[in-house]
Amino acid sequence: MLTDSTPTESLRPQFWSRYTLSELNHNEWEALCDGCGSCCLIKYIDEDENGDVDENLVEYTDVACQLMNCETGYCQHYDTRQQYVPDCIQLTAEKMPNMMWLPEHCAYKRVYKGQALPDWHLLLTENAVITQQQMHAANIGIAGRCVTETGMSDEEMETRVVNWVNP
Ligand code: SF4
Ligand code: SF4
């Protein structure tokens, strides 16, 4: 995520539309994430006959990973998360072909597909308050509306499919 401590000189102008994901530097890569938390939700993913993710069949639940703080929408131990959740996915440019389950607004998916960033993205507004307000208006973000997977049965999980996250 773009933060106050991100050195802005490390971000090349309009990098999201001028370079591919594999050409981005570390800070550019991190700045693409809007912090929505959607990728930390449990989802059901189907593959087509070629083994590729069928976006039309992806279903998100409002059930979040055990490390998610569902109030704030942030991972409680992001820097050390692999110790707790070894299968937490580290997005890379190489993995993107298999990441099409990401939500349609996710900047990594959009840049990969050659699409524009959402209008509300912080890289465009350069104003965190405006971005937050517009993300809320666009119904994006899991803070305050997810539940933890801890203690949840598979049967209950299946009843928690939501329609506010879509690939
Ligand atoms: S869905 Fe994309 S933009 Fe949202 S938190 Fe995950 S990686 Fe970041
Ligand atoms: S470990 Fe953290 S970043 Fe990874 S899925 Fe869980 S909450 Fe998200």
Side-chain angles (χ1 to χ4, degrees):
M1 253 175 75
L2 190 59
T3 66
D4 291 343
S5 61
T6 305
T8 48
E9 66 275 13
S10 63
L11 306 180
R12 293 168 290 181
Q14 306 281 316
F15 68 85
W16 53 90
S17 60
R18 296 173 56 221
Y19 302 99
T20 65
L21 288 175
S22 57
E23 293 171 329
L24 302 185
N25 65 41
H26 174 75
N27 288 327
E28 290 168 342
W29 179 272
E30 292 296 319
L32 282 180
C33 182
D34 61 41
C36 71
S38 303
C39 53
C40 304
L41 295 174
I42 310 290
K43 53 253 168 221
Y44 298 107
I45 300 173
D46 273 312
E47 295 177 344
D48 63 20
E49 61 274 13
N50 299 318
D52 298 323
V53 172
D54 187 333
E55 293 179 64
N56 298 316
L57 297 178
V58 176
E59 291 183 308
Y60 276 83
T61 71
D62 64 355
V63 182
C65 167
Q66 56 177 300
L67 281 199
M68 176 56 63
N69 178 329
C70 286
E71 293 281 310
T72 64
Y74 292 115
C75 181
Q76 299 180 73
H77 299 287
Y78 188 75
D79 290 340
T80 54
R81 64 194 188 284
Q82 301 282 351
Q83 290 176 23
Y84 305 90
V85 182
D87 60 349
C88 173
I89 292 168
Q90 178 82 45
L91 285 186
T92 63
E94 294 71 34
K95 289 181 190 161
M96 286 311 292
N98 294 320
M99 294 289 150
M100 293 302 104
W101 50 263
L102 285 164
E104 55 89 22
H105 70 267
C106 174
Y108 297 99
K109 183 172 179 179
R110 296 189 71 83
V111 171
Y112 176 75
K113 288 184 154 190
Q115 299 170 338
L117 296 185
D119 292 344
W120 44 257
H121 199 285
L122 187 54
L123 286 166
L124 300 180
T125 68
E126 299 182 356
N127 182 313
V129 175
I130 288 175
T131 285
Q132 268 194 340
Q133 289 171 343
Q134 293 186 353
M135 285 179 73
H136 188 69
N139 204 19
I140 288 167
I142 72 171
R145 58 173 170 175
C146 60
V147 294
T148 181
E149 67 175 334
T150 303
M152 186 169 295
S153 67
D154 290 346
E155 291 73 25
E156 186 180 354
M157 193 102 66
E158 286 173 13
T159 69
R160 301 201 65 107
V161 170
V162 293
N163 60 10
W164 45 264
V165 192
N166 293 296

